[in-house]
């Protein structure tokens, strides 16, 4: 009853709000039918570079043409090319050795002592006697009063980093507690090292050479690797185990007690004086071209200011290698109905509803991103080569896996506490008696795992809603159990297929909120901002002049 009263108040407020006066009607039936269509077996799991991609993008383009939207890609096209470079080590090409202060050369066994990749640029690395610098976690976070690098110069050197981020009780308040920050990722550490002029990054595994996990990881380190567009152009990357790291530290005469302060917040990087590393590696390169599809509704007053709704169209194809023949004896098609035919159709339906509203003052772009399942590569490709300047992109609103349940009291989002978009959404949700929460799954690190994140790391405020579990009927106990069961049964499995029994009421609720949020942004002059503790505020602030 209380929620019904709030809903009535919200409806009246929206009728009175400029730019939001038009009605909208997200149809669960139409959403369901769209999901059924592009997750059918004929689409063969929508893997990039296959007929499944061609069929998906052709169908989406036809839908947008029927709606009367304009192409939103480069040069007035619907599609944006995303060229993915794939690297495979050349057998026998890798070698490594280190030299101590006494001039003794110590050969290293690649795959046992060290792993090596040259999966950037031309795929070739030839480093001779580069100095080594231990940089702890390799984090520089001014907003958290944390700088592992200090004033040390790492130009032309190899940095050694620990994985993860500080989590000791003494410094927990500087980070996000159980929720990892972006500083946790290897990509961040590589970016930071590259920006400071390092030629390579070595990750320190704090396990002995005989550790089963280390040996297993080293065994698989030579698998084909696809380069993330815009990634740090280091000469090489790799990893060593604790035994090698200890040998280097001992040779350099380091005080091991100093190294033990990496969790304290008082550590600063230390050079391994007199110890150098030489490595060589070569990789073959091939490429896969896939595509983002973009449609747009141009703004009437400020067309150069852009709101993006995004979702990835791809899934993981057929069989373990993604491109297997369809089996005649078992189900080996990964249909990806929930992940992410649902989000794809959610964006399509968002466009349908916004097209029916009065034309917005700012431009709205509907972006269907490629290769998310390969590592957000379509979205990273867009961020590296944006069709619309990121400095004047107001926000990205991302949809990945619509909720499949009855109505919920909670609206879960990734990255709670990051930017003011969540405050805008909270106001809209509160008018309906709903509340914003975190995603309740810190162990998943979801904030860095979907297509909003490449925008985020470039400073663009972004928001992604997730699955509420506080059901109107049954509460958290029923909602959490249902979510756990569905995720465990279907996520990235052939069983992720469309069902006529899906309950899309929560999906319609969330889409309606995101519709209101997008039009509020598109018909106003707000520039969402990062909160003071966010690691992304400095990147956005560097382009403040573009938004004056």
């Amino acid at each position: 009853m209380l929620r019904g009263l709030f809903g009535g108040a919200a409806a009246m407020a929206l009728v009175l709000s400029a730019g939001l006066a038009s009605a909208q009607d997200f149809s669960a039936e139409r959403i369901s039918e769209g999901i059924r269509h592009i997750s059918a077996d004929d689409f063969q799991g929508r893997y990039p570079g296959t007929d499944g991609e061609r069929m998906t993008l052709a169908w989406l383009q036809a839908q947008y043409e029927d709606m009367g939207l304009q192409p939103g890609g480069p040069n007035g096209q619907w599609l944006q090319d995303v060229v993915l470079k794939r690297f495979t080590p050349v057998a026998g090409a890798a070698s490594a050795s280190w030299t101590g202060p006494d001039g003794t050369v110590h050969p290293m066994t690649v795959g046992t002592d060290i792993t090596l990749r040259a999966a950037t640029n031309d795929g070739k690395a030839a480093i001779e006697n580069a100095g080594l610098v231990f940089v702890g976690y390799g984090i520089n976070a001014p907003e958290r009063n944390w700088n592992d690098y200090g004033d040390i110069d790492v130009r032309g050197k190899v940095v050694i980093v620990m994985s993860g981020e500080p989590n000791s009780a003494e410094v927990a308040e500087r980070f996000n507690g159980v929720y990892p920050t972006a500083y946790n990722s290897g990509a961040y550490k590589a970016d930071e090292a590259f920006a400071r002029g390092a030629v390579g990054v070595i990750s320190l595994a704090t396990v002995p050479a005989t550790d089963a996990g280390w040996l297993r990881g080293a065994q698989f380190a030579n698998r084909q690797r696809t380069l993330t567009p815009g990634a740090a152009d280091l000469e090489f990357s790799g990893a060593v185990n604790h035994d090698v790291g200890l040998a280097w530290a001992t040779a350099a005469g380091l005080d091991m007690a100093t190294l033990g302060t990496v969790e304290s917040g008082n550590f600063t990087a230390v050079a391994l004086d007199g110890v150098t590393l030489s490595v060589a590696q070569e990789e073959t390169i091939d490429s896969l071209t896939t595509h983002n599809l973009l449609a747009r509704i141009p703004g009437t007053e400020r067309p150069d200011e852009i709101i993006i709704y995004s979702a990835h169209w791809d899934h993981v194809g057929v069989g373990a290698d993604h491109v297997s023949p369809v089996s005649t004896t078992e189900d080996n098609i990964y249909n990806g109905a929930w992940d992410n035919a649902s989000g794809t159709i959610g964006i399509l339906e968002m466009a349908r509803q916004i097209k029916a509203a009065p034309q917005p003052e700012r431009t709205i772009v509907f972006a269907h991103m490629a290769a998310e399942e390969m590592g957000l590569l379509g979205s990273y490709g867009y961020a590296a080569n944006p069709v619309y300047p990121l400095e004047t992109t107001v926000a990205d609103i991302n949809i990945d896996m619509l909720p499949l349940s009855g109505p919920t009291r909670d609206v879960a989002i990734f990255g709670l506490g990051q930017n003011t978009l969540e405050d805008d959404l909270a106001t809209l949700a509160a008018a309906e008696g709903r509340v914003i929460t975190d995603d309740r799954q810190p162990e998943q690190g979801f904030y860095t795992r979907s297509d909003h994140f490449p925008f985020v790391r470039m400073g663009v405020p972004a928001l992604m809603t997730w699955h509420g579990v506080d059901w109107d009927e049954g509460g958290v106990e029923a909602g959490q159990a249902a979510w756990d069961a569905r995720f465990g049964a279907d996520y990235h499995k052939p069983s992720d297929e469309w069902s006529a029994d899906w309950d899309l009421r929560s999906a319609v609720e969330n889409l309606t909120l995101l519709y209101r949020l997008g039009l509020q942004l598109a018909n106003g002059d707000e520039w969402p901002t990062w909160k003071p503790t966010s690691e992304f505020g400095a990147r956005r602030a560097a382009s403040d002049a573009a938004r004056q």
Side-chain angles (χ1 to χ4, degrees), residues 173-507:
E173 76 283 355
R174 298 201 207 176
F175 290 83
N176 282 358
V178 294
Y179 278 88
T181 71
Y183 299 121
N184 184 71
S185 74
Y188 161 76
K189 296 170 194 287
D191 287 343
E192 185 68 34
F194 179 68
R196 293 170 177 268
V199 296
V201 172
I202 293 286
S203 297
L204 176 63
T206 55
V207 295
T210 56
D211 179 77
W214 164 259
L215 294 173
R216 184 167 53 251
Q219 178 184 355
F220 294 118
N222 285 341
R223 289 180 170 178
Q224 185 182 77
R225 182 177 296 178
T226 303
L227 177 65
T228 300
D233 193 13
L234 294 162
E235 290 294 312
F236 78 97
S237 61
V240 297
N241 56 59
H242 176 268
D243 295 356
V244 171
L246 180 61
W248 286 349
T250 301
L254 291 185
D255 180 355
M256 303 308 290
T258 300
L259 302 185
T261 65
V262 293
E263 289 274 355
S264 69
N266 299 317
F267 170 84
T268 54
V270 56
L272 277 65
D273 291 334
V275 179
T276 63
L277 179 67
S278 298
V279 302
Q281 178 63 293
E282 183 175 355
E283 312 217 9
T284 59
I285 306 172
D286 64 25
S287 63
L288 168 68
T289 299
T290 184
H291 306 85
N292 298 328
L293 185 147
L294 299 98
R296 73 185 183 114
I297 299 174
T300 58
E301 302 294 331
R302 297 181 299 285
D304 294 334
E305 299 175 5
I306 312 298
I307 292 97
I308 295 177
Y309 284 96
S310 62
H312 73 91
W313 57 259
D314 66 302
H315 197 53
V316 299
V318 182
D321 65 352
H322 314 298
V323 291
S324 293
V326 176
S327 173
T328 59
T329 59
E330 62 180 348
D331 182 5
N332 68 337
I333 299 175
Y334 291 76
N335 301 80
W338 188 22
D339 182 15
N340 187 34
S342 68
T344 300
I345 301 305
I347 293 296
L348 185 68
E349 288 304 301
M350 187 69 68
R352 189 186 308 278
Q353 299 306 319
I354 292 178
K355 185 66 171 67
Q359 191 170 350
E361 296 176 11
R362 286 167 158 167
T363 294
I364 301 179
V365 172
F366 305 92
H368 296 272
M369 298 302 192
E372 189 269 357
E373 301 291 5
M374 298 171 71
L376 321 184
L377 299 184
S379 189
Y380 273 115
Y382 181 93
N385 297 285
V387 179
Y388 308 93
L390 298 178
E391 295 83 1
T392 49
T393 297
V394 178
D396 171 62
I397 300 171
N398 190 59
I399 301 176
D400 197 337
M401 301 170 63
L402 288 174
L404 307 179
S405 75
T408 68
R409 302 180 186 96
D410 55 338
V411 184
I413 66 171
F414 292 168
L416 185 68
Q418 283 283 0
N419 61 61
T420 59
L421 286 169
E422 71 182 54
D423 301 328
D424 296 334
L425 187 69
T427 299
L428 293 169
E432 299 181 355
R434 303 180 72 195
V435 296
I436 302 298
T437 70
D438 60 37
D439 59 54
R440 302 176 190 257
Q441 293 176 279
E443 73 284 354
Q444 294 286 349
F446 276 140
Y447 192 57
T448 64
R449 287 178 51 189
S450 197
D451 283 319
H452 60 285
F453 187 69
F455 290 93
V456 164
R457 68 187 291 274
M458 300 299 284
V460 178
L463 180 80
M464 179 169 154
T465 56
W466 193 231
H467 298 250
V469 295
D470 188 2
W471 288 3
D472 281 11
E473 299 179 4
V476 174
E477 182 177 1
Q480 188 67 59
W483 155 257
D484 290 342
R486 183 180 295 278
F487 192 81
D490 296 334
Y491 180 70
H492 279 212
K493 294 182 174 66
S495 59
D496 181 8
E497 297 181 322
W498 171 84
S499 171
D501 296 332
W502 277 0
D503 189 340
L504 291 165
R505 287 178 293 167
S506 182

